[in-house]
Amino acid sequence: MNVQIEQSWKVQLQQEFEKPYFQRLTDGVRQEYGKTTCYPPGRFIFNAFNLCPFEKVKVVIIGQDPYHEPGQAHGLSFSVQDGVPFPPSLQNIFKEIHDDLGSPIPQSGNLTRWAEQGVLLLNATLTVRAHLANSHASLGWQTFTDAAIHALATQRDHIVYMLWGGFARGKAYMIDKSRNLVLESVHPSPLSANRGGWFGQHQFSRCNAYLLQNGIEPIQW
């Protein structure tokens, strides 16, 4: 199957494209997009991979599935397109970056600037039906995105994995903590963050310190 995805990821994930589940997944996604409104737009489904080649990944941030309201999702976890108001989780991410690093709150919630520096902003499920969170969770995306995480975990060292909330933290078993940095916390959603365990964790400065210790250019958050 000729999947339109960045070449280094195509090499890494080629075996997945040949498996029966991926054909079923592709068929299911096409049916969903054909009969109802889904997000992100088709050209953005593999955006996280396309903007962050395999060998350039420095940080992995795992989300659950795309935002499901108009104009928000563009294939990067927690990110929204230019001009879209910041969802509550993203507001809390920016607030923590400000408190941790002193960086000003940005004007745009478009995190393409992170992806281009080596932050893989990966949703476990890459598509969603409009207005229905987790509506594509059963299509098979998680098998595919787990394969991507496994490829990084087995072939790359000194990556920072930022696992926010129970869903993302459930991926920690794939990662060798002796060769990588795993930062776990509650989810930045106000439902979790306001109860403690999100603010004041200094994850972004800890991430950059680890990268610097390993001779890797830090992220301009």
Side-chain angles (χ1 to χ4, degrees):
M1 183 180 296
N2 185 24
V3 177
Q4 300 301 308
I5 192 171
E6 191 275 332
Q7 183 60 32
S8 66
W9 281 109
K10 179 176 278 192
V11 170
Q12 291 296 326
L13 298 170
Q14 188 61 50
Q15 289 186 337
E16 301 303 306
F17 302 144
E18 307 304 326
K19 292 178 180 177
Y21 88 86
F22 196 83
Q23 183 63 62
R24 293 192 298 271
L25 168 61
T26 302
D27 292 344
V29 169
R30 286 198 183 112
Q31 288 173 18
E32 282 287 293
Y33 274 73
K35 71 183 182 184
T36 189
T37 300
C38 295
Y39 301 119
R43 68 186 183 280
F44 289 137
I45 290 175
F46 294 113
N47 207 22
F49 299 101
N50 293 338
L51 291 173
C52 191
F54 182 82
E55 294 298 337
K56 293 187 177 181
V57 176
K58 303 174 184 178
V59 181
V60 179
I61 298 178
I62 300 172
Q64 194 156 347
D65 72 332
Y67 295 123
H68 49 78
E69 297 302 326
Q72 294 180 312
H74 63 128
L76 304 177
S77 62
F78 296 100
S79 179
V80 292
Q81 300 191 60
D82 291 322
V84 176
F86 302 165
S89 293
L90 188 56
Q91 291 180 35
N92 283 341
I93 291 168
F94 286 154
K95 184 177 187 301
E96 176 60 12
I97 291 171
H98 171 73
D99 293 347
D100 187 10
L101 299 172
S103 307
I105 303 295
Q107 297 295 307
S108 173
N110 188 329
L111 303 181
T112 295
R113 61 187 181 276
W114 291 5
E116 290 174 340
Q117 294 179 74
V119 182
L120 182 67
L121 293 158
L122 183 64
N123 280 315
T125 296
L126 298 186
T127 58
V128 68
R129 190 182 288 195
H131 318 303
L132 288 172
N134 279 328
S135 46
H136 286 178
S138 63
L139 290 182
W141 277 124
Q142 287 193 46
T143 303
F144 176 73
T145 54
D146 278 359
I149 296 167
H150 183 263
L152 286 169
T154 54
Q155 298 183 52
R156 296 282 316 282
D157 293 339
H158 307 313
I159 290 175
V160 181
Y161 293 84
M162 301 175 115
L163 307 181
W164 301 337
F167 181 84
R169 292 167 87 168
K171 310 292 184 183
Y173 75 94
M174 290 190 274
I175 304 158
D176 184 343
K177 294 182 180 180
S178 70
R179 298 190 292 113
N180 303 278
L181 177 63
V182 178
L183 299 174
E184 299 186 46
S185 75
V186 302
H187 196 277
S189 162
L191 294 172
S192 302
N194 294 346
R195 296 201 297 264
W198 169 257
F199 295 110
Q201 301 298 305
H202 302 289
Q203 293 187 63
F204 300 94
S205 58
R206 289 161 65 195
C207 169
N208 279 353
Y210 178 84
L211 294 175
L212 280 168
Q213 286 166 12
N214 288 283
I216 301 167
E217 186 79 19
I219 304 299
Q220 298 298 314
W221 296 107

